[in-house]
Amino acid sequence: MSVLCCGLLLGGPVVAGAAAAPSAHTRTGQESHGRGTPVSAEKLYTLDSAQAVAAELRGAGFDDGAVRHGVVAYRLVYRTVDPEGRPTTASGLLVLPLHSERRLRAVSFTHGTGVHKNDSPSMSRGSFVSAPVIAHASAGAAGVAPDYLGMGKGPGPHPWMDIDSETTASLDMLRAARTFAPRTGHVLERPVQVTGFSQGASAALALGRALRAGEDRWFRLGALAPVSGAYDFGGTELSALLAGRLDAKSGVLYAAYTLVAFNRLHHVYEQPGEVFRAPYDGTVEALFDGAHTGEQLMRGTPATLGELLTPRGRELLAHPTGPLAAALRTTDAVCTDWTPRTPARLYLATGDEQAATANTTRCRKALLRNGADVPVVDVGPVDYHGSRHLGSNVAATADIVRWFRQLREK
């Protein structure tokens, strides 16, 4: 689905005070597959003045108060690895400020859920998924945003909520941006300011964890500000979804995407009819092929979970076992098995209809147990296209742009 349809979001043992060990996939080394090597770079557009950027941001519904520069935007296609560690390519958006310092701090923004390949930063100008990147660049940073595997110009289906591949795609996009930046007269500094929304909030925490663990020779974590994530996806989020505490249609879409996406990687069910009721058992998997729009997904799914799920499908989400449970443990570890040692904040909106705010509460408590007292910032009741969840990204972006700029200027 388009993020404008439903917002789509999304977000082990505790090792206090420790950085996480590299995962099996990210441990594959950058050099082994030329990871982070640019394959192509395409200039997408130039907003040649602060006034032009301000108009672009306002048109997308975002704050323009921190704009200082015009910007130039590029789509990078780069080498990375798939969930099995095999070579593949991905794309992403790099936005640079005009008439700025030669040395730039990178801000990595990881976006919320979309189902069509175009629901990604490098494919959507002046949109909900690209506006935060433009906003950070216009404030004097290098805005870096992976499209994720299977999105944008990437081949194959998107491995939704697969933390390992979100991390490798994000880290390799940073590497590609660093390699490309000198062609524009810039170099990227070592510290990276990391943020992300919804699905991208979990991805941001995972990228921060990788940078903290030294998984890149150059970049290190400079600051962290995820927004409205489902950090305890397998517990808090799925429980709230099944209990009807979240928006009903969003719950249908997330339940469907969870089963389809996790089945692709982890063999959760044999036949769709085991988990989806007719007629959706014959149609729902195709809706998540990257070629269907959010509107098509909305029309092609029912209004309630009872119409979508079989008893077996509901039981799998309520009490995950086997490969699904193991995969969800990895997804849900983004707050529990590491400690940020840099400035960090967690953003949310009270009344979020898609990401239960208890996810953020649990994340903060887990980080505190590990020795990091990370404050929670409630951005208040800001709606975007009728969604408090989407509104949290708009409101938080304005605050994070200013906060990150203050940190850079210290």
Side-chain angles (χ1 to χ4, degrees), residues 230-302:
Y231 312 113
D232 184 35
F233 183 60
T236 299
E237 186 67 15
L238 288 181
S239 294
L241 182 157
L242 293 170
R245 295 194 296 271
L246 305 178
D247 174 74
K249 186 64 175 183
S250 298
V252 167
L253 300 175
Y254 287 128
Y257 209 174
T258 300
L259 291 168
V260 171
F262 279 74
N263 188 60
R264 288 171 179 160
L265 295 182
H266 307 291
H267 196 63
V268 174
Y269 55 82
E270 295 288 343
Q271 297 295 329
E274 296 174 28
V275 294
F276 298 118
R277 294 185 184 275
Y280 306 106
D281 59 333
T283 59
V284 73
E285 288 185 324
L287 292 173
F288 295 99
D289 63 359
H292 285 77
T293 66
E295 183 179 353
Q296 290 172 317
L297 183 59
M298 293 286 282
R299 292 199 308 263
T301 50

Side-chain angles (χ1 to χ4, degrees), residues 88 98 110 224 235 251 277 324 368 391 393 397:
T88 189
L98 297 173
T110 39
L224 183 63
R277 294 185 184 275
L324 178 59
L368 187 60
N393 186 38
T397 293

Side-chain angles (χ1 to χ4, degrees), residues 63-84:
D63 182 80
D64 65 350
V67 174
R68 290 185 174 182
H69 302 271
V71 300
V72 57
Y74 301 88
R75 180 190 297 120
L76 303 184
V77 176
Y78 59 95
R79 300 188 188 282
T80 186
V81 290
D82 71 8
E84 301 303 323

Side-chain angles (χ1 to χ4, degrees), residues 80-352:
T80 186
V81 290
D82 71 8
E84 301 303 323
R86 297 170 300 208
T88 189
T89 58
S91 59
L93 179 66
L94 172 64
V95 186
L96 300 173
L98 297 173
H99 313 298
S100 62
E101 300 293 330
R102 179 173 179 269
R103 298 182 63 85
L104 297 175
R105 187 77 50 89
V107 172
S108 174
F109 172 76
T110 39
H111 66 88
T113 298
V115 293
H116 194 281
K117 285 180 176 288
N118 289 348
D119 296 333
S120 49
S122 83
M123 305 297 286
S124 302
R125 175 181 168 180
S127 70
F128 187 81
V129 291
S130 61
V133 195
I134 294 170
H136 283 288
S138 71
V144 182
D147 292 332
Y148 302 141
L149 296 185
M151 300 290 283
K153 297 294 186 180
H158 170 49
W160 184 67
M161 290 298 289
D162 179 60
I163 290 297
D164 281 344
S165 64
E166 288 174 356
T167 304
T168 52
S170 300
L171 193 56
D172 291 342
M173 176 62 191
L174 280 169
R175 292 163 171 160
R178 183 189 173 211
T179 299
F180 175 76
R183 293 173 52 183
T184 70
H186 294 289
V187 295
L188 300 189
E189 297 176 341
R190 295 192 71 187
V192 181
Q193 297 173 315
V194 177
T195 182
F197 165 65
S198 199
Q199 174 188 353
S202 291
L205 279 160
L207 175 60
R209 180 176 61 185
L211 293 169
R212 167 93 169 92
E215 291 187 22
D216 185 76
R217 295 177 178 177
W218 174 254
F219 291 116
R220 60 179 176 82
L221 181 61
L224 183 63
V227 182
S228 299
Y231 312 113
D232 184 35
F233 183 60
T236 299
E237 186 67 15
L238 288 181
S239 294
L241 182 157
L242 293 170
R245 295 194 296 271
L246 305 178
D247 174 74
K249 186 64 175 183
S250 298
V252 167
L253 300 175
Y254 287 128
Y257 209 174
T258 300
L259 291 168
V260 171
F262 279 74
N263 188 60
R264 288 171 179 160
L265 295 182
H266 307 291
H267 196 63
V268 174
Y269 55 82
E270 295 288 343
Q271 297 295 329
E274 296 174 28
V275 294
F276 298 118
R277 294 185 184 275
Y280 306 106
D281 59 333
T283 59
V284 73
E285 288 185 324
L287 292 173
F288 295 99
D289 63 359
H292 285 77
T293 66
E295 183 179 353
Q296 290 172 317
L297 183 59
M298 293 286 282
R299 292 199 308 263
T301 50
T304 67
L305 285 172
E307 297 171 271
L308 175 73
L309 298 177
T310 65
R312 171 60 177 157
R314 189 178 184 93
E315 177 65 16
L316 268 175
L317 296 179
H319 304 289
T321 58
L324 178 59
L328 288 171
R329 283 194 294 272
T330 299
T331 300
D332 295 347
V334 292
C335 299
T336 62
D337 63 358
W338 73 294
T339 306
R341 297 297 188 193
T342 52
R345 296 175 178 176
L346 297 170
Y347 285 80
L348 59 73
T350 299
D352 191 319

Side-chain angles (χ1 to χ4, degrees), residues 340-401:
R341 297 297 188 193
T342 52
R345 296 175 178 176
L346 297 170
Y347 285 80
L348 59 73
T350 299
D352 191 319
E353 80 285 357
Q354 293 187 44
T357 55
N359 283 289
T360 300
T361 301
R362 288 179 63 91
C363 185
R364 184 182 188 280
K365 288 180 178 179
L367 293 172
L368 187 60
R369 286 195 299 270
N370 290 351
D373 189 0
V374 179
V376 173
V377 180
D378 188 336
V379 298
V382 178
D383 283 355
Y384 184 90
H385 290 252
S387 168
R388 183 72 59 83
H389 181 62
L390 296 177
S392 70
N393 186 38
V394 174
T397 293
D399 192 75
I400 295 167
V401 167

